[in-house]
Amino acid sequence: MSKQPGSSTAAEPDTTDPADEVAPAAEAPRPARAPGAPVLALLAVGWLAAMLWSTHEAITSAAAGLTAISLSAFALPGVISAALVAGASVALAATGLLARRGSDRATLRFVVAVGTGLLVGLAAAVAINLTYADNATTNTIAGTSAAAAIIGGALAGARDAAPVGAVVTAALGTLLFVVAFSRARDPLFDLFGADGSQASLVSAAKWVSRTESLLAGLLAGLLAFGYLTWARRRAVRRDPGTAALRWPAYLVAGAGPGLLLLLAEVIIRVGGRTLLDLAGALSEADAVAQTSLGTSRVDNGIWVLFVGALAALVAFGRTLGPAPRDDDEPATVED
């Protein structure tokens, strides 16, 4: 029915129930990304190449096959650790590129991370097979390195990239520190009372190993804390809606290098079992050496895990201010 000109109509009452209006859902806070991932990838790949080259030089300089087997078993842990970190760092860079393009779905991110680790593992295996002697020892090193790179890539498929970047950074720093620490072993043996006797050498070796693990764990925790702090500040400058990192992120990042060392030991004992058995069967001394080295690597991983986690948590705790006190009331002035 049409309105007549000049007729007045009363305003229609608003019958809309405010409860029926659906408020827009709050946007979920975005996790912090991993800054510097391409640089970490280049450093990790370079470290893997250095480990492969040094292992190749050690094996080819051996006089005969038995010595080459022993040297390969001694060099295997360094290669596996480097491959694990390289797979994780390159996959972290790939998933970071994926996130910048807006394709950050969980399934796609994990597939890309595993695929990138697979490519790194295949490249390492091909390089080993092309440059090393073609034998069972070479195949063991190549296959175990490829598996380590794939596992490292899978670890980089986590939703929160910043803690993964912190773990990679701290792990690289720990591996570099262990190599640099080798120059201080002889002075430390003298400092801890090694006088040439068997008992003093064993005691000094134990204290040198504990000192190395303690310092490596401390370095890992501080590097993880520094990286997460940098990532947080960088992310907030670019996007104020970035989620804040809580203490579990620092705990995991500080413990991460130790966890990677223990994971590398599992890969070594599973994938490299044939090589370790061959090296241990050469002589009784080799068997004792392989057992002792395996135990030492496990102890080192545990020390780095706990000391790194504690150092990162303590560093994070020092950044927290005192809790606000609401029991202080202003004094009233009586007339």
Side-chain angles (χ1 to χ4, degrees):
M1 183 175 183
S2 61
K3 296 180 182 178
Q4 298 296 329
S7 63
S8 61
T9 59
E12 296 181 358
D14 186 7
T15 59
T16 304
D17 188 358
D20 295 337
E21 297 181 358
V22 179
E27 184 180 358
R30 291 167 289 277
R33 295 179 180 176
V39 177
L40 289 176
L42 290 176
L43 291 175
V45 171
W47 180 254
L48 174 60
M51 289 292 99
L52 294 177
W53 177 81
S54 63
T55 302
H56 174 267
E57 291 299 310
I59 293 175
T60 54
S61 64
L66 295 181
T67 307
I69 291 175
S70 180
L71 291 176
S72 299
F74 288 138
L76 184 63
V79 174
I80 299 307
S81 300
L84 188 63
V85 174
S89 60
V90 177
L92 186 66
T95 54
L97 180 61
L98 192 69
R100 284 193 293 270
R101 292 185 175 182
S103 302
D104 198 22
R105 295 189 300 272
T107 303
L108 180 60
R109 181 173 62 249
F110 183 76
V111 170
V112 170
V114 174
T116 304
L118 176 61
L119 292 178
V120 174
L122 288 177
V126 170
I128 292 172
N129 283 320
L130 290 179
T131 56
Y132 289 33
D134 188 12
N135 51 38
T137 299
T138 299
N139 294 333
T140 300
I141 298 176
T144 311
S145 300
I150 296 171
I151 295 174
L155 295 177
R159 177 177 180 270
D160 294 332
V164 179
V167 171
V168 171
T169 302
L172 273 175
T174 302
L175 294 177
L176 290 171
F177 169 79
V178 170
V179 174
F181 187 82
S182 61
R183 297 181 175 272
R185 287 181 178 274
D186 291 339
L188 285 178
F189 265 91
D190 296 335
L191 178 64
F192 290 126
D195 55 5
S197 63
Q198 186 68 24
S200 65
L201 288 174
V202 171
S203 177
K206 181 187 301 183
W207 284 105
V208 169
S209 177
R210 289 178 178 176
T211 302
E212 177 184 356
S213 301
L214 178 63
L215 294 178
L218 182 62
L219 177 64
L222 294 178
L223 285 176
F225 167 76
Y227 183 91
L228 285 181
T229 303
W230 174 48
R232 169 63 182 163
R233 292 175 179 174
R234 183 186 177 94
V236 169
R237 284 198 303 266
R238 293 188 174 186
D239 184 5
T242 302
L245 294 173
R246 296 182 173 272
W247 66 266
Y250 291 87
L251 176 67
V252 172
L259 291 174
L260 286 184
L261 291 176
L262 294 176
L263 179 59
E265 184 64 22
V266 173
I267 298 172
I268 292 168
R269 298 196 178 194
V270 174
R273 170 56 58 187
T274 302
L275 179 57
L276 296 180
D277 290 341
L278 287 175
L282 296 178
S283 66
E284 184 178 352
D286 286 296
V288 172
Q290 290 299 327
T291 302
S292 176
L293 287 174
T295 303
S296 177
R297 291 193 299 267
V298 172
D299 291 342
N300 178 64
I302 294 174
W303 274 81
V304 173
L305 188 156
F306 284 104
V307 175
L310 181 61
L313 278 183
V314 170
F316 172 68
R318 291 182 62 85
T319 64
L320 302 178
R325 299 179 58 185
D326 53 0
D327 56 343
D328 295 337
E329 299 179 358
T332 58
V333 179
E334 296 181 355
D335 293 338

